[in-house]
Amino acid sequence: MKLFYTFLLIFFSSFSFGQNKTIAIIPEPVTLSAVQGEYTLKGPLTIGISDNIQAAEIAGYLLNAITAPTGYLTTIQKNNSNANIKLILLSPEEKVLGNEGYKLSVTPSSITISANKAAGLFYGVQSLLQLLPKEIASKTVVADKVWSVPCVEITDFPRFGWRGLMFDVVRHFFTKEEVKDFIDDMAKYKFNLLHLHLTDDQGWRIEIKSLPKLTTVGAWNVKKIGTFGTFSKPEDNEPRDYGGFYTQEDIREIIQYARDRFINILPEIEMPGHSLAAIASYPELSCTPGADKYKVNSGERFMVWPPSGHFYGLLDNTLCPANEKVYAFIDKVITEVAQLFPFEYIHMGGDETARNFWEKSPAIKALMQKEKLKNLDEVQSYFVKRVETIIRSKGKKLIGWDEILQGGLAPNAAVMSWRGIQGGIEAAKQKHEVVMSPSTFAYLDYMQGDRAIEPPVYATLRLNKAYQFDPVPNGVDPQFIKGGQANLWTEQIYNTRHMQYMLWPRAFAIAESVWSPKQKKNWNQFVRRVETHFDRFDIAKIKYSPALYDAVVAVKNNGKDLPLIELSTEVEGLDIYYSFDNSFPDNFYPKYKEPLTMPKDAAAMKIITYRGDKPIGRMIVITSDDLKKRAGIKSGK
Ligand code: ACM
């Protein structure tokens, strides 16, 4: 009997191991049944399509994805029922699949992807690519590889129609080619919305032909190296040659590139706050005397965020709501933006408007009297309503950060909830459309591991918290929740490698939160799939953060003014080893079992994680002063 159980155990563990190794789709499909057997791709290959131009385009995408790593001669053939891989547009349609769903059937004799619409075929292709061996991520031919796909039956469709990532291309500029790479990676994980943050205090990134100074002046600042936000104030003679912008031709190219991957682009033109680049270009847009001396910000401090209380500007980075020239300016900008971007929404920003200069402005006072506005919330709301009218007049809908609720929401405005979920709940109650992107779950600029070793940012969001993202809060009518997105602000992101490090693996967690059924979420299983995608990223040379393997350090006061340290890991099955004597711990050092009190004379704590006998996390070094600080204990020295 015992032997029988042992046999069963081995059988099941090897079965599930085998499955995990080969089947690791992100985001997890709605239903997936794995069956015995596999289909092996061998050259020459045929991709069969019905007589449809969009299916042909997707077949072309698949062909490119397969031929680079396999080197197989591959052809696309119409109406060939013997093709190796068939892409079929269903007629009649299958209701459950909607516009983006698909079925993927892999049998020992063929691979078939079927869908109602081209988008579904595209997502089926993404799942198929994820079923192929990891070397499919290679950009060059991998010789002597057996390209087999496990037999599966998948039916899959998204939970939400808005599955977004926001990319801030202002704080640091990313080139057209870098944006395309970003789009390519989004598409692999079935995101369908790229929110481009195009204007801010540090730059104006989109050519507006009727307002040329926005890009001759507004797109450029001074290159500084160090920690953004603490840079020295630029001298007058320092060259303003850092930055850049997209021409309208570039924008069209990016939009088309995204469209080919079933991704819409939401342009964000920030106002009335975060507008220093516009004001440096056209100072008459400000209410504040002296704005003609303003320059595009280069990362020097100009806003003050008191730990408690209201933030304020050291200079006035807002468009003046009391100035008719501002609305003429916005009309010009929105006219060109609306003509360029086919997406139905334009994002007007609306967040973090420092109003300390408005308080002193005679023009704002006069506006308040004229329009009977009782306070600055109402001034802001007046501004948003004027912008909403402009955006609507160009045939588009307004979406803005949740501060647009202050002083009363403009009619028809959609809300993007970032200060937690409360703004989204409020807007949904008022029957406005909502996109959830709460900083608490979806801010990918936050640190993802211990602050002793992460590049410094003011907050932390670990992978397991991002994985808990649910765009529909309890008690909210889901019909108003369009979906969710994660936001990648780039103040502290200076290049593509670090951008990738911040994006992955947390964007996997977000992808799963906006695509997969809520009840299918499973953290341990997700981690295993993430690890197989790390292997793919290694081959594709895409950077990702290994922070999920690091120890999680929690510190409090032990009651006697020494830090009490509690260690844990996000990933199960890891061991933690530590030292307090400055030497580097390994798996022969003390293994963490229970909360530890820091020895009184310790200089630092060093912590490392292992999986079995292999180090896996990064070495975390925290000085005793830092441990004390974290515990709220004053350092004796
Ligand atoms: C924001 O993060 N200020 C929208």
Side-chain angles (χ1 to χ4, degrees), residues 578-592:
Y578 62 91
S579 77
F580 283 110
D581 60 8
N582 287 328
S583 64
F584 294 113
D586 62 17
N587 54 338
F588 291 82
Y589 271 61
K591 184 165 158 177
Y592 177 82

Side-chain angles (χ1 to χ4, degrees), residues 452-467:
I453 56 170
E454 288 293 332
V457 181
Y458 58 92
T460 301
L461 172 70
R462 289 183 185 274
L463 179 64
N464 64 3
K465 185 81 190 278
Y467 193 62

